[in-house]
């Protein structure tokens, strides 16, 4: 069997924290007197904290000072962390652990490639930290997805080439990042939304061991 690198996004792929990001951002928008839709929220997935706030302020037609911008980001993160602190292993999405264990038994590289600055803490909370060979998160990158930087750093740290990497992503921006990096992109979620992916599955329960084996040997 050959050795590939499987790079997992965190939010919306390993755990359903996308709903917590949404709730926390929405609370902030509501406090400024406007709201945004689930459809608009799709555009926030995979996007950095700074970029997310920029988009939300644009939707609400608000302009704020630099100090206020920083204050709002901190406020959102504080609200988000209230949800995160209560997280436990039960919140790992279906068959994620099974997939990680299969890949690890098959002697494959496993990496995290997330935009989140809270990634390490979340993996600790749900007890998955030790399953990853390499962790690249929002603290390591200068360019947000759809820039491929986060995935390229993961490949570099694993001493492997992009063409040996397979990325699992729930965000359009993340799929674009994987494609630009020259990696195999696997969308987790809605087929229509993630149509730019090489493959799309609703969740990991749809991903068979035979398919994983095929990815390893391709
Ligand atoms: C991504 C999420 O994984 O991380 C985004 O999909 C989020 O919604 C981004 O904004 C940054 O996360 P954090 O935890 O650093 O605010
Ligand atoms: Mg995500």
């Amino acid at each position: 069997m050959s050795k590939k690198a499987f790079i997992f996004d965190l939010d919306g792929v390993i755990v359903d924290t996308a709903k917590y990001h949404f709730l926390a951002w929405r609370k902030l928008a509501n406090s400024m007197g406007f709201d945004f839709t689930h459809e608009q929220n799709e555009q926030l997935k995979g996007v950095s904290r700074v970029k997310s706030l920029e988009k939300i302020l644009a939707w609400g037609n608000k302009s704020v000072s630099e100090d206020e911008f920083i204050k709002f980001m901190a406020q959102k993160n504080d609200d988000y962390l209230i949800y995160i602190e209560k997280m436990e292993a039960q919140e790992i999405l279906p068959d994620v652990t099974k997939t990680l264990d299969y890949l690890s038994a098959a002697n494959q590289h496993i990496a995290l490639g997330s935009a989140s600055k809270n990634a390490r803490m979340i993996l600790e909370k749900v007890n998955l930290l030790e399953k990853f060979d390499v962790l690249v998160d929002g603290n390591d990158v200068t360019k947000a997805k759809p820039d491929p930087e986060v995935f390229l750093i993961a490949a570099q740290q694993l001493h492997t080439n992009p063409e040996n990497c397979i990325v699992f992503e729930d965000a359009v921006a993340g799929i674009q990042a994987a494609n630009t990096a020259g990696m195999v992109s696997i969308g987790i979620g809605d087929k229509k939304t993630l149509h730019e992916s090489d493959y799309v599955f609703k969740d990991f329960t749809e991903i068979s061991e035979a398919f994983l084996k095929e990815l390893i040997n391709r």
Side-chain angles (χ1 to χ4, degrees), residues 112-115 136-137 141 143 145 147-155 177:
L112 190 87
S114 167
V136 186
D137 66 21
V141 296
K143 289 172 247 154
K145 298 170 188 175
D147 190 281
E149 186 186 20
V150 62
F151 298 139
L152 292 174
I153 295 176

Side-chain angles (χ1 to χ4, degrees), residues 177-198:
N179 290 343
T180 306
M183 301 177 174
V184 175
S185 59
I186 303 187
I188 301 293
D190 176 58
K191 277 207 163 57
K192 252 196 217 144
T193 312
L194 300 171
H195 65 90
E196 289 172 64
S197 321
D198 293 322

Side-chain angles (χ1 to χ4, degrees), residues 29-76:
N30 290 170
S31 77
M32 287 187 266
F34 65 96
D35 205 357
F36 59 89
T37 63
H38 279 278
E39 256 155 46
Q40 283 172 304
N41 187 56
E42 280 303 313
Q43 297 177 43
L44 302 181
K45 288 188 178 171
V47 169
S48 70
R49 206 180 300 173
V50 173
K51 280 251 166 74
S52 299
L53 182 53
E54 282 170 1
K55 279 179 191 273
I56 292 166
L57 291 171
W59 295 335
N61 253 318
K62 302 273 173 201
S63 59
V64 299
S65 70
E66 210 171 299
D67 283 353
E68 278 175 313
F69 193 95
I70 290 167
K71 193 189 82 188
F72 286 152
M73 281 210 301
Q75 213 167 300
K76 182 268 174 176

Side-chain angles (χ1 to χ4, degrees), residues 9-13 15 17-18 45-47 114 145 168-171:
D9 172 49
L10 175 71
D11 296 313
V13 168
V15 282
T17 37
K45 288 188 178 171
V47 169
S114 167
K145 298 170 188 175
F168 295 104
E169 257 293 348
D170 71 315

Side-chain angles (χ1 to χ4, degrees), residues 131-147:
K131 304 222 185 250
F132 290 84
D133 301 310
V134 153
L135 224 72
V136 186
D137 66 21
N139 301 294
D140 305 306
V141 296
T142 54
K143 289 172 247 154
K145 298 170 188 175
D147 190 281

Side-chain angles (χ1 to χ4, degrees), residues 72-124:
F72 286 152
M73 281 210 301
Q75 213 167 300
K76 182 268 174 176
N77 198 51
D78 287 348
D79 285 326
Y80 178 64
L81 290 180
I82 295 172
Y83 297 111
I84 300 311
E85 266 147 31
K86 292 187 216 132
M87 281 188 84
E88 36 187 75
Q90 254 163 257
E91 287 189 65
I92 300 169
L93 287 165
D95 281 2
V96 167
T97 308
K98 188 178 154 201
T99 305
L100 290 169
D101 288 343
Y102 177 83
L103 295 173
S104 152
N107 195 31
Q108 301 300 299
H109 292 299
I110 300 178
L112 190 87
S114 167
S116 174
K117 294 189 170 171
N118 298 302
R120 177 175 289 271
M121 187 180 133
I122 293 170
L123 288 180
E124 270 168 5

